[in-house]
Structure formats: structure tokens, C-alpha cells
PDB file of all heavy atoms in Angstrom:
ATOM      1  N   SER A   3       7.862 -10.162  -4.774  1.00 95.00           N
ATOM      2  CA  SER A   3       9.390 -10.313  -4.712  1.00 95.00           C
ATOM      3  C   SER A   3       9.805 -11.101  -5.991  1.00 95.00           C
ATOM      4  O   SER A   3      10.917 -10.629  -6.598  1.00 95.00           O
ATOM      5  CB  SER A   3       9.697 -11.131  -3.532  1.00 95.00           C
ATOM      6  OG  SER A   3      11.122 -11.358  -3.433  1.00 95.00           O
ATOM      7  N   ASN A   4       9.046 -11.977  -6.476  1.00 94.00           N
ATOM      8  CA  ASN A   4       9.495 -12.827  -7.673  1.00 94.00           C
ATOM      9  C   ASN A   4       9.450 -11.877  -8.814  1.00 94.00           C
ATOM     10  O   ASN A   4      10.358 -12.134  -9.752  1.00 94.00           O
ATOM     11  CB  ASN A   4       8.508 -14.023  -7.808  1.00 94.00           C
ATOM     12  CG  ASN A   4       8.603 -15.112  -6.848  1.00 94.00           C
ATOM     13  OD1 ASN A   4       9.615 -15.252  -6.101  1.00 94.00           O
ATOM     14  ND2 ASN A   4       7.590 -15.957  -6.705  1.00 94.00           N
ATOM     15  N   LEU A   5       8.491 -10.997  -8.925  1.00 94.00           N
ATOM     16  CA  LEU A   5       8.473 -10.124 -10.038  1.00 94.00           C
ATOM     17  C   LEU A   5       9.293  -8.853  -9.910  1.00 94.00           C
ATOM     18  O   LEU A   5       9.255  -7.966 -10.719  1.00 94.00           O
ATOM     19  CB  LEU A   5       7.060  -9.692 -10.303  1.00 94.00           C
ATOM     20  CG  LEU A   5       6.039 -10.863 -10.690  1.00 94.00           C
ATOM     21  CD1 LEU A   5       4.494 -10.382 -10.724  1.00 94.00           C
ATOM     22  CD2 LEU A   5       6.534 -11.484 -12.016  1.00 94.00           C
ATOM     23  N   GLU A   6       9.944  -8.612  -8.779  1.00 93.00           N
ATOM     24  CA  GLU A   6      10.915  -7.556  -8.473  1.00 93.00           C
ATOM     25  C   GLU A   6      10.060  -6.326  -8.427  1.00 93.00           C
ATOM     26  O   GLU A   6      10.473  -5.204  -8.774  1.00 93.00           O
ATOM     27  CB  GLU A   6      12.035  -7.444  -9.505  1.00 93.00           C
ATOM     28  CG  GLU A   6      12.991  -8.725  -9.449  1.00 93.00           C
ATOM     29  CD  GLU A   6      14.075  -8.588 -10.438  1.00 93.00           C
ATOM     30  OE1 GLU A   6      14.123  -7.600 -11.193  1.00 93.00           O
ATOM     31  OE2 GLU A   6      15.073  -9.261 -10.372  1.00 93.00           O
ATOM     32  N   TYR A   7       8.903  -6.437  -7.804  1.00 95.00           N
ATOM     33  CA  TYR A   7       8.084  -5.231  -7.494  1.00 95.00           C
ATOM     34  C   TYR A   7       8.549  -4.588  -6.124  1.00 95.00           C
ATOM     35  O   TYR A   7       9.482  -5.161  -5.447  1.00 95.00           O
ATOM     36  CB  TYR A   7       6.597  -5.636  -7.321  1.00 95.00           C
ATOM     37  CG  TYR A   7       5.922  -6.044  -8.669  1.00 95.00           C
ATOM     38  CD1 TYR A   7       4.672  -6.596  -8.691  1.00 95.00           C
ATOM     39  CD2 TYR A   7       6.487  -5.680  -9.891  1.00 95.00           C
ATOM     40  CE1 TYR A   7       4.058  -7.010  -9.862  1.00 95.00           C
ATOM     41  CE2 TYR A   7       5.802  -6.102 -11.134  1.00 95.00           C
ATOM     42  CZ  TYR A   7       4.663  -6.688 -11.074  1.00 95.00           C
ATOM     43  OH  TYR A   7       4.086  -7.019 -12.271  1.00 95.00           O
ATOM     44  N   SER A   8       7.909  -3.609  -5.704  1.00 93.00           N
ATOM     45  CA  SER A   8       8.158  -2.935  -4.439  1.00 93.00           C
ATOM     46  C   SER A   8       7.764  -3.920  -3.318  1.00 93.00           C
ATOM     47  O   SER A   8       7.075  -4.877  -3.596  1.00 93.00           O
ATOM     48  CB  SER A   8       7.418  -1.669  -4.251  1.00 93.00           C
ATOM     49  OG  SER A   8       7.729  -0.715  -5.262  1.00 93.00           O
ATOM     50  N   THR A   9       8.181  -3.593  -2.132  1.00 95.00           N
ATOM     51  CA  THR A   9       7.816  -4.384  -0.980  1.00 95.00           C
ATOM     52  C   THR A   9       6.476  -3.909  -0.359  1.00 95.00           C
ATOM     53  O   THR A   9       6.130  -2.665  -0.226  1.00 95.00           O
ATOM     54  CB  THR A   9       8.898  -4.163   0.118  1.00 95.00           C
ATOM     55  OG1 THR A   9      10.100  -4.534  -0.320  1.00 95.00           O
ATOM     56  CG2 THR A   9       8.535  -5.028   1.386  1.00 95.00           C
ATOM     57  N   PHE A  10       5.592  -4.983  -0.060  1.00 95.00           N
ATOM     58  CA  PHE A  10       4.388  -4.642   0.565  1.00 95.00           C
ATOM     59  C   PHE A  10       4.559  -3.992   2.032  1.00 95.00           C
ATOM     60  O   PHE A  10       5.528  -4.419   2.769  1.00 95.00           O
ATOM     61  CB  PHE A  10       3.470  -5.871   0.692  1.00 95.00           C
ATOM     62  CG  PHE A  10       2.636  -6.098  -0.466  1.00 95.00           C
ATOM     63  CD1 PHE A  10       2.951  -7.113  -1.364  1.00 95.00           C
ATOM     64  CD2 PHE A  10       1.462  -5.379  -0.796  1.00 95.00           C
ATOM     65  CE1 PHE A  10       2.178  -7.335  -2.514  1.00 95.00           C
ATOM     66  CE2 PHE A  10       0.605  -5.597  -1.757  1.00 95.00           C
ATOM     67  CZ  PHE A  10       0.974  -6.585  -2.686  1.00 95.00           C
ATOM     68  N   LYS A  11       3.684  -3.014   2.330  1.00 93.00           N
ATOM     69  CA  LYS A  11       3.749  -2.401   3.732  1.00 93.00           C
ATOM     70  C   LYS A  11       2.346  -2.594   4.292  1.00 93.00           C
ATOM     71  O   LYS A  11       1.318  -2.603   3.595  1.00 93.00           O
ATOM     72  CB  LYS A  11       4.108  -0.928   3.665  1.00 93.00           C
ATOM     73  CG  LYS A  11       5.513  -0.716   3.139  1.00 93.00           C
ATOM     74  CD  LYS A  11       5.854   0.712   3.140  1.00 93.00           C
ATOM     75  CE  LYS A  11       7.253   0.911   2.714  1.00 93.00           C
ATOM     76  NZ  LYS A  11       7.684   2.409   2.783  1.00 93.00           N
ATOM     77  N   THR A  12       2.299  -2.820   5.671  1.00 92.00           N
ATOM     78  CA  THR A  12       1.064  -2.925   6.261  1.00 92.00           C
ATOM     79  C   THR A  12       0.550  -1.504   6.644  1.00 92.00           C
ATOM     80  O   THR A  12       1.301  -0.667   7.151  1.00 92.00           O
ATOM     81  CB  THR A  12       1.314  -3.701   7.653  1.00 92.00           C
ATOM     82  OG1 THR A  12       1.659  -5.120   7.204  1.00 92.00           O
ATOM     83  CG2 THR A  12       0.002  -3.750   8.323  1.00 92.00           C
ATOM     84  N   VAL A  13      -0.768  -1.335   6.419  1.00 89.00           N
ATOM     85  CA  VAL A  13      -1.426  -0.087   6.886  1.00 89.00           C
ATOM     86  C   VAL A  13      -1.813  -0.250   8.273  1.00 89.00           C
ATOM     87  O   VAL A  13      -2.621  -1.281   8.567  1.00 89.00           O
ATOM     88  CB  VAL A  13      -2.669   0.160   5.915  1.00 89.00           C
ATOM     89  CG1 VAL A  13      -3.385   1.523   6.363  1.00 89.00           C
ATOM     90  CG2 VAL A  13      -2.307   0.328   4.452  1.00 89.00           C
ATOM     91  N   PRO A  14      -1.222   0.471   9.108  1.00 83.00           N
ATOM     92  CA  PRO A  14      -1.335   0.030  10.603  1.00 83.00           C
ATOM     93  C   PRO A  14      -2.770   0.207  11.203  1.00 83.00           C
ATOM     94  O   PRO A  14      -3.147  -0.456  12.134  1.00 83.00           O
ATOM     95  CB  PRO A  14      -0.311   1.074  11.253  1.00 83.00           C
ATOM     96  CG  PRO A  14      -0.277   2.166  10.322  1.00 83.00           C
ATOM     97  CD  PRO A  14      -0.383   1.584   9.063  1.00 83.00           C
ATOM     98  N   ASN A  15      -3.611   1.144  10.781  1.00 78.00           N
ATOM     99  CA  ASN A  15      -4.859   1.366  11.243  1.00 78.00           C
ATOM    100  C   ASN A  15      -5.751   2.122  10.240  1.00 78.00           C
ATOM    101  O   ASN A  15      -5.268   2.585   9.255  1.00 78.00           O
ATOM    102  CB  ASN A  15      -4.854   2.112  12.574  1.00 78.00           C
ATOM    103  CG  ASN A  15      -4.124   3.515  12.436  1.00 78.00           C
ATOM    104  OD1 ASN A  15      -4.524   4.323  11.607  1.00 78.00           O
ATOM    105  ND2 ASN A  15      -2.950   3.579  13.040  1.00 78.00           N
ATOM    106  N   PRO A  16      -7.102   2.065  10.536  1.00 75.00           N
ATOM    107  CA  PRO A  16      -7.942   2.704   9.495  1.00 75.00           C
ATOM    108  C   PRO A  16      -7.661   4.182   9.113  1.00 75.00           C
ATOM    109  O   PRO A  16      -7.853   4.686   8.059  1.00 75.00           O
ATOM    110  CB  PRO A  16      -9.313   2.506  10.004  1.00 75.00           C
ATOM    111  CG  PRO A  16      -9.168   1.347  10.905  1.00 75.00           C
ATOM    112  CD  PRO A  16      -7.911   1.488  11.562  1.00 75.00           C
ATOM    113  N   GLU A  17      -7.298   4.886  10.238  1.00 71.00           N
ATOM    114  CA  GLU A  17      -6.907   6.343  10.101  1.00 71.00           C
ATOM    115  C   GLU A  17      -5.833   6.633   9.020  1.00 71.00           C
ATOM    116  O   GLU A  17      -5.644   7.617   8.430  1.00 71.00           O
ATOM    117  CB  GLU A  17      -6.486   6.944  11.334  1.00 71.00           C
ATOM    118  CG  GLU A  17      -7.742   7.175  12.297  1.00 71.00           C
ATOM    119  CD  GLU A  17      -8.313   5.769  12.861  1.00 71.00           C
ATOM    120  OE1 GLU A  17      -7.333   4.830  12.980  1.00 71.00           O
ATOM    121  OE2 GLU A  17      -9.483   5.660  13.192  1.00 71.00           O
ATOM    122  N   GLU A  18      -4.924   5.583   8.862  1.00 74.00           N
ATOM    123  CA  GLU A  18      -3.791   5.727   7.911  1.00 74.00           C
ATOM    124  C   GLU A  18      -4.156   5.326   6.430  1.00 74.00           C
ATOM    125  O   GLU A  18      -3.250   5.198   5.558  1.00 74.00           O
ATOM    126  CB  GLU A  18      -2.613   4.964   8.264  1.00 74.00           C
ATOM    127  CG  GLU A  18      -2.052   5.427   9.732  1.00 74.00           C
ATOM    128  CD  GLU A  18      -1.563   6.859   9.626  1.00 74.00           C
ATOM    129  OE1 GLU A  18      -0.905   7.171   8.593  1.00 74.00           O
ATOM    130  OE2 GLU A  18      -1.792   7.647  10.563  1.00 74.00           O
ATOM    131  N   MET A  19      -5.492   4.959   6.251  1.00 75.00           N
ATOM    132  CA  MET A  19      -5.781   4.391   4.932  1.00 75.00           C
ATOM    133  C   MET A  19      -5.468   5.365   3.849  1.00 75.00           C
ATOM    134  O   MET A  19      -5.134   4.919   2.707  1.00 75.00           O
ATOM    135  CB  MET A  19      -7.315   4.213   4.918  1.00 75.00           C
ATOM    136  CG  MET A  19      -7.879   3.339   3.626  1.00 75.00           C
ATOM    137  SD  MET A  19      -7.199   1.611   3.676  1.00 75.00           S
ATOM    138  CE  MET A  19      -8.374   0.959   4.997  1.00 75.00           C
ATOM    139  N   HIS A  20      -5.583   6.638   4.015  1.00 71.00           N
ATOM    140  CA  HIS A  20      -5.344   7.593   2.949  1.00 71.00           C
ATOM    141  C   HIS A  20      -4.092   8.377   3.084  1.00 71.00           C
ATOM    142  O   HIS A  20      -3.765   9.376   2.349  1.00 71.00           O
ATOM    143  CB  HIS A  20      -6.551   8.671   2.899  1.00 71.00           C
ATOM    144  CG  HIS A  20      -7.834   7.968   2.642  1.00 71.00           C
ATOM    145  ND1 HIS A  20      -8.241   7.390   1.407  1.00 71.00           N
ATOM    146  CD2 HIS A  20      -8.964   7.829   3.544  1.00 71.00           C
ATOM    147  CE1 HIS A  20      -9.410   6.962   1.562  1.00 71.00           C
ATOM    148  NE2 HIS A  20      -9.841   7.158   2.751  1.00 71.00           N
ATOM    149  N   ASN A  21      -3.170   7.915   4.058  1.00 65.00           N
ATOM    150  CA  ASN A  21      -1.946   8.687   4.302  1.00 65.00           C
ATOM    151  C   ASN A  21      -0.770   7.936   3.780  1.00 65.00           C
ATOM    152  O   ASN A  21       0.278   8.001   4.401  1.00 65.00           O
ATOM    153  CB  ASN A  21      -1.894   8.946   5.758  1.00 65.00           C
ATOM    154  CG  ASN A  21      -2.889   9.902   6.324  1.00 65.00           C
ATOM    155  OD1 ASN A  21      -3.467  10.700   5.616  1.00 65.00           O
ATOM    156  ND2 ASN A  21      -3.294   9.671   7.580  1.00 65.00           N
ATOM    157  N   HIS A  22      -0.922   7.219   2.693  1.00 64.00           N
ATOM    158  CA  HIS A  22       0.190   6.418   2.250  1.00 64.00           C
ATOM    159  C   HIS A  22       0.974   7.094   1.288  1.00 64.00           C
ATOM    160  O   HIS A  22       2.121   6.595   0.800  1.00 64.00           O
ATOM    161  CB  HIS A  22      -0.375   5.084   1.560  1.00 64.00           C
ATOM    162  CG  HIS A  22      -1.539   5.371   0.574  1.00 64.00           C
ATOM    163  ND1 HIS A  22      -1.317   5.980  -0.559  1.00 64.00           N
ATOM    164  CD2 HIS A  22      -2.817   5.005   0.692  1.00 64.00           C
ATOM    165  CE1 HIS A  22      -2.567   6.128  -1.193  1.00 64.00           C
ATOM    166  NE2 HIS A  22      -3.400   5.598  -0.401  1.00 64.00           N
ATOM    167  N   HIS A  23       0.714   8.317   0.885  1.00 65.00           N
ATOM    168  CA  HIS A  23       1.590   9.201   0.089  1.00 65.00           C
ATOM    169  C   HIS A  23       1.864   8.510  -1.311  1.00 65.00           C
ATOM    170  O   HIS A  23       3.053   8.445  -1.777  1.00 65.00           O
ATOM    171  CB  HIS A  23       2.826   9.703   0.760  1.00 65.00           C
ATOM    172  CG  HIS A  23       2.420  10.430   2.056  1.00 65.00           C
ATOM    173  ND1 HIS A  23       1.779  11.535   2.053  1.00 65.00           N
ATOM    174  CD2 HIS A  23       2.868  10.014   3.285  1.00 65.00           C
ATOM    175  CE1 HIS A  23       1.667  11.903   3.324  1.00 65.00           C
ATOM    176  NE2 HIS A  23       2.302  11.008   4.092  1.00 65.00           N
ATOM    177  N   MET A  24       0.969   7.809  -1.884  1.00 73.00           N
ATOM    178  CA  MET A  24       1.138   7.136  -3.105  1.00 73.00           C
ATOM    179  C   MET A  24      -0.008   7.574  -4.011  1.00 73.00           C
ATOM    180  O   MET A  24      -1.063   7.631  -3.749  1.00 73.00           O
ATOM    181  CB  MET A  24       1.221   5.605  -2.945  1.00 73.00           C
ATOM    182  CG  MET A  24       2.291   5.141  -2.099  1.00 73.00           C
ATOM    183  SD  MET A  24       2.227   3.332  -2.017  1.00 73.00           S
ATOM    184  CE  MET A  24       3.199   2.983  -0.556  1.00 73.00           C
ATOM    185  N   ILE A  25       0.272   7.618  -5.335  1.00 75.00           N
ATOM    186  CA  ILE A  25      -0.760   7.805  -6.340  1.00 75.00           C
ATOM    187  C   ILE A  25      -0.906   6.418  -7.079  1.00 75.00           C
ATOM    188  O   ILE A  25      -1.992   5.899  -7.262  1.00 75.00           O
ATOM    189  CB  ILE A  25      -0.464   8.783  -7.378  1.00 75.00           C
ATOM    190  CG1 ILE A  25      -0.415  10.220  -6.686  1.00 75.00           C
ATOM    191  CG2 ILE A  25      -1.503   8.877  -8.525  1.00 75.00           C
ATOM    192  CD1 ILE A  25      -1.864  10.517  -6.257  1.00 75.00           C
ATOM    193  N   ASP A  26       0.242   5.803  -7.465  1.00 88.00           N
ATOM    194  CA  ASP A  26       0.206   4.553  -8.118  1.00 88.00           C
ATOM    195  C   ASP A  26       0.538   3.414  -7.052  1.00 88.00           C
ATOM    196  O   ASP A  26       1.564   3.329  -6.611  1.00 88.00           O
ATOM    197  CB  ASP A  26       1.185   4.394  -9.210  1.00 88.00           C
ATOM    198  CG  ASP A  26       0.824   5.393 -10.434  1.00 88.00           C
ATOM    199  OD1 ASP A  26      -0.279   5.960 -10.298  1.00 88.00           O
ATOM    200  OD2 ASP A  26       1.556   5.434 -11.427  1.00 88.00           O
ATOM    201  N   TYR A  27      -0.422   2.485  -6.780  1.00 94.00           N
ATOM    202  CA  TYR A  27      -0.281   1.493  -5.814  1.00 94.00           C
ATOM    203  C   TYR A  27      -1.201   0.194  -6.049  1.00 94.00           C
ATOM    204  O   TYR A  27      -2.131   0.363  -6.838  1.00 94.00           O
ATOM    205  CB  TYR A  27      -0.380   1.981  -4.439  1.00 94.00           C
ATOM    206  CG  TYR A  27      -1.900   2.644  -4.221  1.00 94.00           C
ATOM    207  CD1 TYR A  27      -2.854   1.827  -3.760  1.00 94.00           C
ATOM    208  CD2 TYR A  27      -2.090   4.012  -4.258  1.00 94.00           C
ATOM    209  CE1 TYR A  27      -4.127   2.250  -3.550  1.00 94.00           C
ATOM    210  CE2 TYR A  27      -3.315   4.504  -3.983  1.00 94.00           C
ATOM    211  CZ  TYR A  27      -4.327   3.616  -3.690  1.00 94.00           C
ATOM    212  OH  TYR A  27      -5.625   4.195  -3.462  1.00 94.00           O
ATOM    213  N   PHE A  28      -0.843  -0.844  -5.446  1.00 96.00           N
ATOM    214  CA  PHE A  28      -1.674  -1.983  -5.381  1.00 96.00           C
ATOM    215  C   PHE A  28      -2.030  -2.193  -3.908  1.00 96.00           C
ATOM    216  O   PHE A  28      -1.120  -2.371  -3.117  1.00 96.00           O
ATOM    217  CB  PHE A  28      -0.915  -3.170  -5.964  1.00 96.00           C
ATOM    218  CG  PHE A  28      -1.749  -4.458  -6.081  1.00 96.00           C
ATOM    219  CD1 PHE A  28      -2.578  -4.722  -6.986  1.00 96.00           C
ATOM    220  CD2 PHE A  28      -1.667  -5.389  -4.943  1.00 96.00           C
ATOM    221  CE1 PHE A  28      -3.361  -5.910  -7.126  1.00 96.00           C
ATOM    222  CE2 PHE A  28      -2.393  -6.608  -5.009  1.00 96.00           C
ATOM    223  CZ  PHE A  28      -3.245  -6.835  -6.094  1.00 96.00           C
ATOM    224  N   ARG A  29      -3.296  -2.357  -3.563  1.00 96.00           N
ATOM    225  CA  ARG A  29      -3.717  -2.450  -2.276  1.00 96.00           C
ATOM    226  C   ARG A  29      -4.616  -3.694  -2.109  1.00 96.00           C
ATOM    227  O   ARG A  29      -5.409  -4.014  -2.869  1.00 96.00           O
ATOM    228  CB  ARG A  29      -4.589  -1.159  -1.853  1.00 96.00           C
ATOM    229  CG  ARG A  29      -5.052  -1.319  -0.304  1.00 96.00           C
ATOM    230  CD  ARG A  29      -5.435   0.099   0.083  1.00 96.00           C
ATOM    231  NE  ARG A  29      -6.493   0.825  -0.745  1.00 96.00           N
ATOM    232  CZ  ARG A  29      -6.820   2.041  -0.548  1.00 96.00           C
ATOM    233  NH1 ARG A  29      -6.331   2.820   0.472  1.00 96.00           N
ATOM    234  NH2 ARG A  29      -7.737   2.595  -1.344  1.00 96.00           N
ATOM    235  N   VAL A  30      -4.450  -4.351  -0.884  1.00 97.00           N
ATOM    236  CA  VAL A  30      -5.115  -5.580  -0.644  1.00 97.00           C
ATOM    237  C   VAL A  30      -5.823  -5.530   0.791  1.00 97.00           C
ATOM    238  O   VAL A  30      -5.256  -5.204   1.716  1.00 97.00           O
ATOM    239  CB  VAL A  30      -4.150  -6.835  -0.719  1.00 97.00           C
ATOM    240  CG1 VAL A  30      -4.998  -8.106  -0.468  1.00 97.00           C
ATOM    241  CG2 VAL A  30      -3.295  -6.912  -1.921  1.00 97.00           C
ATOM    242  N   PHE A  31      -7.025  -5.740   0.849  1.00 96.00           N
ATOM    243  CA  PHE A  31      -7.815  -5.852   2.110  1.00 96.00           C
ATOM    244  C   PHE A  31      -8.070  -7.333   2.279  1.00 96.00           C
ATOM    245  O   PHE A  31      -8.595  -8.032   1.567  1.00 96.00           O
ATOM    246  CB  PHE A  31      -9.236  -5.149   1.922  1.00 96.00           C
ATOM    247  CG  PHE A  31      -9.156  -3.738   1.486  1.00 96.00           C
ATOM    248  CD1 PHE A  31      -9.066  -3.314   0.176  1.00 96.00           C
ATOM    249  CD2 PHE A  31      -9.279  -2.782   2.467  1.00 96.00           C
ATOM    250  CE1 PHE A  31      -9.069  -2.018  -0.188  1.00 96.00           C
ATOM    251  CE2 PHE A  31      -9.284  -1.329   2.039  1.00 96.00           C
ATOM    252  CZ  PHE A  31      -9.109  -0.994   0.674  1.00 96.00           C
TER     253      PHE A  31
END
């Protein structure tokens, strides 16, 4: 938010790990 990036979204379950419809992203486990 401080850097005015996009908003983080929660990946709801493991099955949705590859269904985020993004190519450029930052992901945190």
C-alpha cells in the first residue's frame, strides 16, 4: 500500500494455486 502497488489477494485453497490468471505477480507462502 505504501508503494502504491496492487492489493494482495488470498489464494483460497491449493487447487487455486495456478488459477490466478496472472503472468506478472508477487506471491508469498
